[in-house]
Amino acid sequence: DIQMTQSPPTLSASVGDRVTITCRASQSISTWLAWYQQKPGKAPKVLIYDASSLQSGVPSRFSGSGSGTEFTLTISSLQPDDFATYYCQQYNSYSWTFGQGTKVEIK
Amino acid sequence: EVQLLESGGNLVQPGGSLRLSCAASGFTFSSYPMSWVRQAPGKGLEWVSDISESGGGTHYTDSVKGRFTISRDNFKNTLYLQMSSLRADDTAVYYCAIPSPGGYLDYWGQGTLVTVSS
C-alpha cells in the first residue's frame, strides 16, 4: 500500500496567518490526491481534488499544489471557521490511503 | 439533495457480527460506486471497502479481507457492510461515502459507531 505522511501533526496559528500543510507519498501518485477538512463529530468534507482543483463551494483561500510524491495544502489567510483537522488521501491505487492528519489549532 | 444515512452500529462482543446499512437518497444510487470509510476514536481516517455500481466489483483493505463483505441493493437504494469475526481494533465510526469517478470521496454520511468490547 502507498503510505501517506503528513506534517506537521499539529499546527498552532492565528487568524489571518498563512498556513501550509505537507503530504508526502511513499511512491508517485501523479496528481491523484485530495484534501479534506474535518471538524469534531462531523464527517470529512473534500476541499481539493486532483491535487489542485478546488471543490465547488470551497473558499478560494484554500489551494493545493504538487505532483508525484510531494503535495501541499495552503490556507492563504486563516479564518475562525478553518480551525479543524486536515487529511490528505491518495486515490492513485488501492488501497486508498489517508495521511494521519494535521490539527490546526488556535495560537 | 444527496443524503446518506448510516445505521446498524452497536456494541458487539469480540468475535461477533454486525451488519451496517447506508440508506441513500437524492441521487441515482444505481449509477454510483459506493465506499465505506472508518475512523477509530481519536484517530485518523481509514478506507475500508468499495463496490461498483452493479455490485459486481469490490475492493477491501487488507485488515478486513475475509471478515467484511460489502454489498448493495439498487432497488432499495441501500449499501451494506456485513462484518464478522469482529476485533477490538474494528471499533470506529463507520461512514458511507460516494467516490467521484476519480476516487476522492465526494459525499459522506454522518457515520454510525461500532464498538467491539466484552
Side-chain angles (χ1 to χ4, degrees), chain A residues 36-103:
Chain A
Y36 300 86
Q37 177 193 68
Q38 187 180 33
K39 296 182 178 178
K42 300 293 187 183
K45 166 189 165 184
V46 63
L47 303 173
I48 302 286
Y49 63 93
D50 295 351
S52 60
S53 296
L54 191 68
Q55 177 73 333
S56 176
V58 173
S60 59
R61 63 180 178 272
F62 291 93
S63 63
S65 64
S67 65
T69 62
E70 188 149 341
F71 303 86
T72 58
L73 172 70
T74 300
I75 309 173
S76 60
S77 177
L78 198 65
Q79 298 301 301
D81 191 48
D82 301 338
F83 292 97
T85 301
Y86 295 84
Y87 295 93
C88 61
Q89 178 227 343
Q90 69 82 18
Y91 45 98
N92 176 78
S93 61
Y94 286 106
S95 301
W96 297 339
T97 44
F98 292 86
Q100 74 275 31
T102 295
K103 186 175 183 180

Side-chain angles (χ1 to χ4, degrees), chain B residues 40-58:
Chain B
K43 303 297 184 183
L45 300 165
E46 181 184 26
W47 171 80
V48 174
S49 180
D50 67 21
I51 188 167
S52 65
E53 295 89 325
S54 68
T58 59

Side-chain angles (χ1 to χ4, degrees), chain B residues 4-88:
Chain B
L4 301 171
L5 186 62
E6 301 94 335
S7 61
N10 212 332
L11 171 64
V12 60
Q13 291 189 338
S17 298
L18 204 60
R19 188 177 82 159
L20 305 183
S21 300
C22 171
S25 61
F27 65 105
T28 305
F29 181 72
S30 59
S31 297
Y32 289 84
M34 295 294 295
S35 298
W36 288 100
V37 176
R38 67 184 178 183
Q39 186 169 35
K43 303 297 184 183
L45 300 165
E46 181 184 26
W47 171 80
V48 174
S49 180
D50 67 21
I51 188 167
S52 65
E53 295 89 325
S54 68
T58 59
H59 299 90
Y60 298 92
T61 192
D62 285 348
S63 63
V64 309
K65 281 180 185 173
R67 301 189 301 122
F68 289 13
T69 301
I70 190 171
S71 63
R72 64 191 296 160
D73 185 331
N74 285 345
F75 294 102
K76 293 184 177 179
N77 290 347
T78 303
L79 173 72
Y80 302 101
L81 187 67
Q82 178 68 48
M83 304 185 294
S84 60
S85 302
L86 282 161
R87 314 185 302 221

Side-chain angles (χ1 to χ4, degrees), chain A residues 2 25-32 67-71 90 92-93:
Chain A
I2 298 173
S26 60
Q27 64 188 74
S28 178
I29 58 169
S30 184
T31 56
W32 302 117
S67 65
T69 62
E70 188 149 341
F71 303 86
Q90 69 82 18
N92 176 78
S93 61

